[in-house]
Amino acid sequence: GRINPLHTMTGINTPFTGDRNKVCLSDDVVAMGLQAATHWDGLAHASYEGRLYNGHPASSVTAEAGATRCGIDKVKPIVTRGILLDVARARGANRLTPGYAITAPDLDAALGLAKVDVEPGDVLLVRTGQMELLRAGDKEAYRIPSPGIGVACVPWFRERDVAAVATDTMPFEVWPGEDEAALLPVHLLDLVEMGMLQGQNWHLDDLAADCAQDGVYEFLLHATPEPFVGAVGSPVHPVATK
């Protein structure tokens, strides 16, 4: 159901006053899956045992109103320090092995490559290299199996009090998961337990190449989600300024 954006023209050089020699306007409309492209997951995106983050009931997400609690429209502007954690490069690879679960030591190694310390409120961008498959047109290989965040990374994020984490993969966490009995455990821990935004389908390759060239892995990140009222996720056009 995550359809790509469908762009339709609803008016093409339509006379505003009935006279084509005067003012004419064109207009258009877009229908899209809010989590089909580069996006943030809102906190209402996941629930278990009938609850969302902060104890709100899962039933607060309705067909009529969407997310009445923890919607993406509740997220304030995200303008903060971003840090690229190039896990693939830190492991000496262009792309991580499909299905590889990123570990806390992997994050430490990438942080060592970046030569910075994580501070509360930072946003971390974790590169696996998986995006090259999508850019080559192989959507299925990009989707699954996918390297991604392992469960052991969650305490690492929490201990450093990061504001959000984004990856260059579709599922965010490793998929298939590390434990067949636990479905999307990283989603549940990040969104339901910690209240930490997570982002997917971020294109990080150009940024990674620039960081590797100048050795600077920190930057000003602007990544405010579009505030769709009641939505459980939202597209974002992130910009890193170095």
Side-chain angles (χ1 to χ4, degrees), residues 107 149-159 185-186 189-190 194:
L107 298 178
I149 304 299
V151 172
C153 295
V154 177
W156 195 97
F157 297 145
R158 180 66 189 91
E159 290 164 5
V186 176
L189 291 170
D190 285 353
M194 288 202 299

Side-chain angles (χ1 to χ4, degrees), residues 84 86 89 127 204-215 217 242:
L84 177 69
D86 195 342
R89 190 177 301 274
R127 178 179 174 270
L204 303 176
D205 291 344
D206 291 346
L207 176 62
D210 185 84
C211 292
Q213 182 178 26
D214 65 12
Y217 284 76
K242 296 177 66 177

Side-chain angles (χ1 to χ4, degrees), residues 107-189:
L107 298 178
D108 287 330
L111 195 59
L113 181 68
K115 295 183 174 62
V116 297
D117 293 324
V118 177
E119 300 291 342
D122 287 342
V123 172
L124 306 181
L125 310 183
V126 180
R127 178 179 174 270
T128 71
Q130 185 79 349
M131 181 59 69
E132 73 173 21
L133 296 174
L134 183 60
R135 297 187 74 192
D138 195 339
K139 294 182 180 180
E140 282 305 303
Y142 169 70
R143 186 178 69 87
I144 185 171
S146 175
I149 304 299
V151 172
C153 295
V154 177
W156 195 97
F157 297 145
R158 180 66 189 91
E159 290 164 5
R160 289 156 181 79
D161 197 19
V162 299
V165 179
T167 70
D168 58 350
T169 72
M170 192 280 288
F172 184 81
E173 60 191 272
V174 59
W175 191 258
E178 300 163 273
D179 183 349
E180 293 182 359
L183 294 178
L184 300 175
V186 176
H187 275 63
L188 301 183
L189 291 170

Side-chain angles (χ1 to χ4, degrees), residues 19-97:
D19 186 346
R20 287 192 174 275
N21 293 321
K22 294 186 177 179
V23 177
C24 293
L25 301 176
S26 295
D27 215 342
D28 46 10
V29 65
V30 168
M32 66 177 296
L34 295 183
Q35 298 177 58
T38 303
H39 69 273
W40 286 118
D41 284 344
L43 301 186
H45 174 57
S47 67
Y48 75 103
E49 297 181 348
R51 63 184 176 87
L52 304 173
Y53 173 67
N54 216 19
H56 294 297
S59 59
S60 61
V61 181
T62 69
E64 295 76 19
T68 62
R69 293 287 187 271
C70 299
I72 199 70
D73 54 301
K74 306 302 191 298
V75 177
K76 303 299 183 183
I78 298 176
V79 182
T80 188
R81 184 176 73 152
I83 300 174
L84 177 69
L85 296 184
D86 195 342
V87 175
R89 190 177 301 274
R91 289 184 57 85
N94 188 51
R95 175 166 57 88
L96 296 181
T97 303

